[in-house]
Amino acid sequence: MRRAVYPGSFDPVTYGHLDIIRRAASIFDEVVIGVLRNSQKTPLFSVEERVKILKEVTTDIPNVVVRSFEGLSVNFVRDCDAQVIIRGLRAMTDFENELHMAQTNKVLMPEIDTMFLVTSLNYAYLSSTTVRELASFKSDVSAFAPPAVVKALNEKFSL
């Protein structure tokens, strides 16, 4: 089985993330979405909320599994018995940062490769940070995130 892991914070998941997830799911037999529990950051949504939302918005993609993890992505990838880390790229600045991480991961675990998928142009500008900020100012974010995310954001910001 060809299995890949798409790790990230997904706080919240956007249409850009879903673009990468769908495309990765068409390439691999199984894609594990790894929702990072990072004790160094204070996310808007708890890891449990992010996992729940991701499961809801990916129910139509049968070969996607959603799990949470802590620590290094390469350790999670190994624990998932996967061979590839999926990373989405929006711009050159993403590439530089992601390349450094991919090179570090390759040194740590040479058997794991990183595959970069360039986000569709429709979503090249989009980030979770932007969606959170817009929602905090009570802007309509339905063009940027699925209905389940919009609903959860509205609840968080009491809209």
Side-chain angles (χ1 to χ4, degrees):
M1 175 181 279
R2 295 175 308 149
R3 181 177 293 124
V5 171
Y6 181 29
S9 58
F10 306 102
D11 187 38
V13 61
T14 68
Y15 282 135
H17 293 123
L18 286 173
D19 173 55
I20 297 297
I21 292 166
R22 288 182 192 289
R23 290 170 43 220
S26 74
I27 297 168
F28 293 93
D29 298 320
E30 183 176 79
V31 175
V32 179
I33 302 171
V35 180
L36 177 62
R37 181 187 306 269
N38 187 343
S39 59
Q40 304 299 316
K41 293 185 178 181
T42 306
L44 178 63
F45 293 100
S46 70
V47 72
E48 295 79 16
E49 289 170 317
R50 289 179 278 149
V51 165
K52 180 179 180 249
I53 291 168
L54 273 158
K55 284 181 177 181
E56 183 175 341
V57 301
T58 60
T59 56
D60 65 323
I61 314 170
N63 60 330
V64 166
V65 175
V66 182
R67 293 177 47 194
S68 65
F69 76 101
E70 285 185 75
L72 296 176
S73 294
V74 288
N75 291 336
F76 180 65
V77 172
R78 182 196 58 221
D79 293 345
C80 290
D81 196 28
Q83 303 78 34
V84 176
I85 297 172
I86 300 292
R87 298 302 298 160
L89 298 175
R90 295 170 297 181
M92 285 303 295
T93 52
D94 285 349
F95 178 73
E96 188 173 332
N97 295 332
E98 293 292 345
L99 178 62
H100 291 159
M101 187 55 62
Q103 291 168 330
T104 302
N105 287 339
K106 193 67 172 167
V107 170
L108 292 172
M109 292 199 187
E111 68 277 14
I112 296 173
D113 285 310
T114 299
M115 177 183 281
F116 298 114
L117 294 177
V118 177
T119 305
S120 297
L121 284 175
N122 298 358
Y123 309 115
Y125 63 91
L126 189 55
S127 71
S128 294
T129 303
T130 300
V131 172
R132 280 194 315 270
E133 186 172 352
L134 290 170
S136 74
F137 288 107
K138 303 186 182 351
S139 293
D140 178 12
V141 295
S142 60
F144 311 121
V149 173
V150 173
K151 181 178 183 237
L153 285 166
N154 287 344
E155 289 170 4
K156 283 285 181 188
F157 294 115
S158 301
L159 296 178

